[in-house]
Amino acid sequence: MTGRLGREFSFTDKHFSRIRKFVTAHTGIVLTDAKKDMVYGRLSKRIRNQFDGSFDAFCNAVDEGDKAEQEYLVNAITTNLTAFFRENHHFEYLRDKLIPELLRQKQQSRKIRIWSAGCSTGEEPYSLAMTLREAIPGIDNWDVKILATDLDANVVQHGQDGVYTRERISGLDESRQRRWFQLGKGENEGLVKVKPELQQLIHFKRLNLLHDWPMKGPFDVIFCRNVVIYFDKQTQSELFERYANILTPGGHLFIGHSESLYKVSERFAALGHTVYRQLPK
Ligand SMILES: C[S@@+](CC[C@H](N)C(=O)[O-])C[C@H]1O[C@@H](n2cnc3c(N)ncnc32)[C@H](O)[C@@H]1O
């Protein structure tokens, strides 16, 4: 039976407030009132199957430290929308300006480090890997690594597996599809898998950006796109300060099309089109 507002289970403002308090504290994501229906929609299956329809019981489990439920909640709330070569101008910038610059600067060490922070299901780091392999002649004589991290364990696993529906790569030109993806056959018909040459460049890892980072860096480039939109300004400021500190001097930061460092961080110079260069302190 469906109750008030057509909802199957009782979901009060108090439930919503408990859930959003946990989500903000653990992910930095601020859930506005407008997100109440979304939260209900994303959790209702779990509430039905595991909690006999009781949001109370679910909220208690989360607040009492039940790790499985906390993880379920975080995974359910994070928005994982992504695509191969999303905001393609960033990859063009990388190919045309940044990679030639890095190849000149790094003749000695031959070491390039890139971080895709908030990598979702892997399309972003794989797009980086394709760009690097296409633009760096003799890349196997260089020490190039991409770190790909996300808070959501499911998407990190998906990225690591590197398996996508064929439709996900339909926007890529034919030569790229052929060069970088294997077509699934038989029971894998309709699926593609990224080739090992791309996977070799990437290390996938689960990481909450608000927690301590196990890696020291430095990174030459950080992609953190469409991640901080749901964070409040203070959280954004702190995160960008940490990015500035873990980048090489003059390293580059790429953010999402609707994001900005205006009044958030003074540690970067804007180069246009949401590309930034780190400034000395
Ligand atoms: C909309 S996706 C963006 C994916 C990709 N960067 C892009 O632009 O296509 C945002 C990702 O940020 C991740 N995320 C959100 N809060 C996070 C946090 N506190 N730590 C790490 N990742 C987080 C989400 O799990 C989600 O996969």
Short mmCIF file of all heavy atoms in Angstrom, two decimals, residues 183-218:
data_model
loop_
_atom_site.label_atom_id
_atom_site.label_comp_id
_atom_site.label_asym_id
_atom_site.label_seq_id
_atom_site.Cartn_x
_atom_site.Cartn_y
_atom_site.Cartn_z
N LEU A 183 35.95 -6.36 -28.38
CA LEU A 183 34.52 -6.61 -28.45
C LEU A 183 34.18 -7.92 -27.76
O LEU A 183 34.86 -8.93 -27.97
CB LEU A 183 34.08 -6.73 -29.91
CG LEU A 183 33.96 -5.45 -30.72
CD1 LEU A 183 33.42 -5.78 -32.11
CD2 LEU A 183 33.03 -4.46 -30.02
N GLY A 184 33.13 -7.90 -26.94
CA GLY A 184 32.69 -9.12 -26.29
C GLY A 184 32.00 -10.06 -27.29
O GLY A 184 31.31 -9.59 -28.19
N LYS A 185 32.22 -11.38 -27.09
CA LYS A 185 31.57 -12.35 -27.98
C LYS A 185 30.71 -13.30 -27.16
O LYS A 185 30.90 -13.40 -25.95
CB LYS A 185 32.63 -13.15 -28.73
CG LYS A 185 33.52 -12.29 -29.60
CD LYS A 185 34.00 -13.05 -30.85
CE LYS A 185 34.67 -12.11 -31.83
NZ LYS A 185 35.94 -11.56 -31.33
N GLY A 186 29.83 -14.01 -27.83
CA GLY A 186 28.99 -15.01 -27.14
C GLY A 186 28.17 -14.36 -26.05
O GLY A 186 27.45 -13.40 -26.32
N GLU A 187 28.33 -14.85 -24.82
CA GLU A 187 27.50 -14.28 -23.75
C GLU A 187 27.89 -12.84 -23.39
O GLU A 187 27.16 -12.15 -22.68
CB GLU A 187 27.55 -15.17 -22.49
CG GLU A 187 28.93 -15.29 -21.89
CD GLU A 187 28.93 -16.15 -20.62
OE1 GLU A 187 27.99 -16.96 -20.44
OE2 GLU A 187 29.88 -16.01 -19.83
N ASN A 188 29.05 -12.39 -23.91
CA ASN A 188 29.46 -11.00 -23.68
C ASN A 188 29.13 -10.08 -24.85
O ASN A 188 29.61 -8.94 -24.91
CB ASN A 188 30.96 -10.93 -23.38
CG ASN A 188 31.29 -11.58 -22.05
OD1 ASN A 188 30.50 -11.48 -21.11
ND2 ASN A 188 32.41 -12.28 -21.99
N GLU A 189 28.34 -10.59 -25.77
CA GLU A 189 27.88 -9.79 -26.92
C GLU A 189 27.27 -8.49 -26.40
O GLU A 189 26.53 -8.49 -25.40
CB GLU A 189 26.80 -10.62 -27.64
CG GLU A 189 26.33 -10.07 -28.96
CD GLU A 189 27.37 -10.25 -30.06
OE1 GLU A 189 27.93 -11.36 -30.18
OE2 GLU A 189 27.59 -9.26 -30.79
N GLY A 190 27.62 -7.39 -27.04
CA GLY A 190 27.06 -6.09 -26.60
C GLY A 190 27.91 -5.40 -25.56
O GLY A 190 27.64 -4.27 -25.17
N LEU A 191 28.99 -6.11 -25.11
CA LEU A 191 29.90 -5.50 -24.13
C LEU A 191 31.27 -5.26 -24.77
O LEU A 191 31.61 -5.92 -25.75
CB LEU A 191 30.08 -6.43 -22.92
CG LEU A 191 28.84 -6.74 -22.09
CD1 LEU A 191 29.18 -7.73 -20.98
CD2 LEU A 191 28.23 -5.46 -21.51
N VAL A 192 32.01 -4.34 -24.20
CA VAL A 192 33.40 -4.14 -24.63
C VAL A 192 34.28 -4.10 -23.40
O VAL A 192 33.80 -3.79 -22.30
CB VAL A 192 33.58 -2.81 -25.42
CG1 VAL A 192 32.80 -2.83 -26.72
CG2 VAL A 192 33.18 -1.60 -24.57
N LYS A 193 35.56 -4.45 -23.58
CA LYS A 193 36.51 -4.39 -22.46
C LYS A 193 37.72 -3.56 -22.90
O LYS A 193 38.21 -3.73 -24.01
CB LYS A 193 36.94 -5.80 -22.06
CG LYS A 193 37.84 -5.83 -20.83
CD LYS A 193 38.02 -7.27 -20.33
CE LYS A 193 39.12 -7.42 -19.32
NZ LYS A 193 39.03 -6.73 -18.09
N VAL A 194 38.17 -2.67 -22.02
CA VAL A 194 39.33 -1.85 -22.40
C VAL A 194 40.56 -2.74 -22.49
O VAL A 194 40.70 -3.71 -21.74
CB VAL A 194 39.59 -0.69 -21.41
CG1 VAL A 194 38.53 0.36 -21.48
CG2 VAL A 194 39.76 -1.19 -20.01
N LYS A 195 41.45 -2.39 -23.39
CA LYS A 195 42.64 -3.23 -23.61
C LYS A 195 43.64 -3.07 -22.47
O LYS A 195 43.70 -2.01 -21.84
CB LYS A 195 43.27 -2.88 -24.95
CG LYS A 195 42.38 -3.31 -26.11
CD LYS A 195 43.17 -3.48 -27.37
CE LYS A 195 42.24 -3.91 -28.50
NZ LYS A 195 42.80 -3.64 -29.83
N PRO A 196 44.45 -4.11 -22.24
CA PRO A 196 45.41 -4.08 -21.13
C PRO A 196 46.38 -2.89 -21.18
O PRO A 196 46.79 -2.39 -20.15
CB PRO A 196 46.19 -5.40 -21.27
CG PRO A 196 45.35 -6.26 -22.13
CD PRO A 196 44.45 -5.39 -22.95
N GLU A 197 46.73 -2.41 -22.39
CA GLU A 197 47.65 -1.27 -22.49
C GLU A 197 47.13 -0.06 -21.74
O GLU A 197 47.90 0.77 -21.24
CB GLU A 197 47.88 -0.83 -23.95
CG GLU A 197 48.51 -1.87 -24.82
CD GLU A 197 47.44 -2.57 -25.66
OE1 GLU A 197 46.69 -3.38 -25.08
OE2 GLU A 197 47.36 -2.29 -26.86
N LEU A 198 45.80 0.09 -21.69
CA LEU A 198 45.24 1.21 -20.94
C LEU A 198 45.21 0.88 -19.46
O LEU A 198 45.58 1.69 -18.61
CB LEU A 198 43.82 1.54 -21.41
CG LEU A 198 43.65 1.99 -22.86
CD1 LEU A 198 42.20 2.40 -23.11
CD2 LEU A 198 44.58 3.16 -23.20
N GLN A 199 44.77 -0.36 -19.16
CA GLN A 199 44.63 -0.75 -17.75
C GLN A 199 45.97 -0.67 -17.01
O GLN A 199 46.02 -0.29 -15.85
CB GLN A 199 44.02 -2.14 -17.64
CG GLN A 199 42.60 -2.15 -18.19
CD GLN A 199 41.80 -3.35 -17.75
OE1 GLN A 199 42.08 -4.45 -18.19
NE2 GLN A 199 40.79 -3.14 -16.91
N GLN A 200 47.06 -1.02 -17.76
CA GLN A 200 48.40 -1.01 -17.13
C GLN A 200 48.78 0.36 -16.59
O GLN A 200 49.59 0.47 -15.67
CB GLN A 200 49.45 -1.38 -18.18
CG GLN A 200 49.59 -2.85 -18.43
CD GLN A 200 50.16 -3.12 -19.83
OE1 GLN A 200 50.66 -2.20 -20.50
NE2 GLN A 200 50.08 -4.36 -20.26
N LEU A 201 48.24 1.41 -17.18
CA LEU A 201 48.64 2.76 -16.75
C LEU A 201 47.90 3.22 -15.50
O LEU A 201 48.28 4.20 -14.87
CB LEU A 201 48.36 3.78 -17.86
CG LEU A 201 49.12 3.67 -19.17
CD1 LEU A 201 48.69 4.79 -20.11
CD2 LEU A 201 50.62 3.75 -18.92
N ILE A 202 46.81 2.50 -15.15
CA ILE A 202 45.91 3.04 -14.12
C ILE A 202 45.90 2.18 -12.86
O ILE A 202 45.85 0.95 -12.93
CB ILE A 202 44.46 3.11 -14.66
CG1 ILE A 202 44.43 3.89 -15.98
CG2 ILE A 202 43.53 3.77 -13.64
CD1 ILE A 202 43.08 3.89 -16.67
N HIS A 203 45.92 2.85 -11.73
CA HIS A 203 45.75 2.15 -10.46
C HIS A 203 44.45 2.66 -9.82
O HIS A 203 44.34 3.85 -9.49
CB HIS A 203 46.96 2.45 -9.56
CG HIS A 203 46.88 1.80 -8.24
ND1 HIS A 203 46.82 0.43 -8.08
CD2 HIS A 203 46.81 2.31 -6.99
CE1 HIS A 203 46.73 0.14 -6.80
NE2 HIS A 203 46.72 1.27 -6.12
N PHE A 204 43.45 1.77 -9.70
CA PHE A 204 42.17 2.16 -9.11
C PHE A 204 42.20 1.93 -7.60
O PHE A 204 42.70 0.90 -7.13
CB PHE A 204 41.02 1.33 -9.70
CG PHE A 204 40.60 1.78 -11.06
CD1 PHE A 204 41.10 1.17 -12.20
CD2 PHE A 204 39.69 2.82 -11.22
CE1 PHE A 204 40.71 1.58 -13.48
CE2 PHE A 204 39.29 3.24 -12.48
CZ PHE A 204 39.80 2.62 -13.60
N LYS A 205 41.62 2.86 -6.86
CA LYS A 205 41.63 2.71 -5.40
C LYS A 205 40.44 3.46 -4.80
O LYS A 205 40.09 4.54 -5.26
CB LYS A 205 42.92 3.33 -4.86
CG LYS A 205 43.29 2.80 -3.52
CD LYS A 205 44.68 3.28 -3.12
CE LYS A 205 44.90 3.06 -1.64
NZ LYS A 205 44.49 1.78 -1.13
N ARG A 206 39.88 2.86 -3.78
CA ARG A 206 38.79 3.55 -3.09
C ARG A 206 39.41 4.60 -2.16
O ARG A 206 40.32 4.29 -1.39
CB ARG A 206 37.97 2.56 -2.27
CG ARG A 206 36.83 3.26 -1.63
CD ARG A 206 35.89 2.32 -0.93
NE ARG A 206 34.80 3.11 -0.43
CZ ARG A 206 34.19 2.92 0.71
NH1 ARG A 206 34.52 1.90 1.46
NH2 ARG A 206 33.22 3.71 1.10
N LEU A 207 38.91 5.82 -2.23
CA LEU A 207 39.44 6.88 -1.35
C LEU A 207 38.39 7.96 -1.14
O LEU A 207 37.80 8.47 -2.10
CB LEU A 207 40.69 7.50 -1.99
CG LEU A 207 41.31 8.67 -1.22
CD1 LEU A 207 41.93 8.19 0.09
CD2 LEU A 207 42.38 9.38 -2.06
N ASN A 208 38.15 8.27 0.11
CA ASN A 208 37.29 9.41 0.44
C ASN A 208 38.16 10.66 0.45
O ASN A 208 39.11 10.75 1.22
CB ASN A 208 36.65 9.19 1.82
CG ASN A 208 35.65 10.27 2.16
OD1 ASN A 208 35.68 11.37 1.62
ND2 ASN A 208 34.73 9.93 3.05
N LEU A 209 37.84 11.61 -0.40
CA LEU A 209 38.67 12.81 -0.53
C LEU A 209 38.74 13.61 0.76
O LEU A 209 39.66 14.41 0.94
CB LEU A 209 38.13 13.70 -1.66
CG LEU A 209 38.27 13.13 -3.07
CD1 LEU A 209 37.47 13.93 -4.07
CD2 LEU A 209 39.75 13.10 -3.47
N LEU A 210 37.77 13.43 1.63
CA LEU A 210 37.77 14.20 2.88
C LEU A 210 38.62 13.55 3.96
O LEU A 210 38.85 14.15 5.00
CB LEU A 210 36.33 14.35 3.42
CG LEU A 210 35.31 14.94 2.46
CD1 LEU A 210 34.04 15.29 3.21
CD2 LEU A 210 35.86 16.18 1.76
N HIS A 211 39.07 12.33 3.71
CA HIS A 211 39.92 11.65 4.70
C HIS A 211 41.40 11.89 4.38
O HIS A 211 41.72 12.56 3.41
CB HIS A 211 39.62 10.15 4.70
CG HIS A 211 38.26 9.82 5.23
ND1 HIS A 211 37.74 8.56 5.23
CD2 HIS A 211 37.30 10.61 5.78
CE1 HIS A 211 36.53 8.57 5.76
NE2 HIS A 211 36.24 9.79 6.10
N ASP A 212 42.28 11.28 5.22
CA ASP A 212 43.71 11.38 4.92
C ASP A 212 44.01 10.67 3.61
O ASP A 212 43.36 9.67 3.30
CB ASP A 212 44.52 10.70 6.03
CG ASP A 212 44.53 11.56 7.28
OD1 ASP A 212 44.21 12.77 7.17
OD2 ASP A 212 44.83 11.02 8.35
N TRP A 213 44.98 11.17 2.89
CA TRP A 213 45.38 10.53 1.62
C TRP A 213 46.63 9.71 1.87
O TRP A 213 47.63 10.24 2.37
CB TRP A 213 45.65 11.59 0.55
CG TRP A 213 44.47 12.47 0.24
CD1 TRP A 213 43.15 12.22 0.53
CD2 TRP A 213 44.50 13.75 -0.38
NE1 TRP A 213 42.37 13.26 0.10
CE2 TRP A 213 43.16 14.22 -0.46
CE3 TRP A 213 45.52 14.56 -0.91
CZ2 TRP A 213 42.82 15.45 -1.03
CZ3 TRP A 213 45.19 15.77 -1.49
CH2 TRP A 213 43.85 16.21 -1.54
N PRO A 214 46.61 8.43 1.50
CA PRO A 214 47.79 7.60 1.74
C PRO A 214 48.97 7.96 0.83
O PRO A 214 50.11 7.65 1.14
CB PRO A 214 47.31 6.18 1.46
CG PRO A 214 46.13 6.34 0.56
CD PRO A 214 45.51 7.67 0.88
N MET A 215 48.68 8.62 -0.30
CA MET A 215 49.79 8.87 -1.24
C MET A 215 50.40 10.26 -0.98
O MET A 215 49.73 11.15 -0.50
CB MET A 215 49.32 8.74 -2.69
CG MET A 215 48.30 9.75 -3.11
SD MET A 215 46.66 9.35 -2.52
CE MET A 215 45.72 10.67 -3.30
N LYS A 216 51.68 10.36 -1.34
CA LYS A 216 52.39 11.61 -1.08
C LYS A 216 52.42 12.52 -2.31
O LYS A 216 52.65 13.70 -2.22
CB LYS A 216 53.85 11.29 -0.71
CG LYS A 216 53.98 10.62 0.64
CD LYS A 216 55.29 11.00 1.30
CE LYS A 216 55.35 10.64 2.77
NZ LYS A 216 54.84 9.29 3.06
N GLY A 217 52.24 11.93 -3.49
CA GLY A 217 52.40 12.72 -4.69
C GLY A 217 53.88 12.89 -5.00
O GLY A 217 54.67 12.07 -4.55
N PRO A 218 54.34 13.93 -5.64
CA PRO A 218 53.48 14.95 -6.19
C PRO A 218 52.86 14.52 -7.53
O PRO A 218 53.40 13.65 -8.21
CB PRO A 218 54.43 16.14 -6.41
CG PRO A 218 55.76 15.50 -6.68
CD PRO A 218 55.78 14.21 -5.90
#
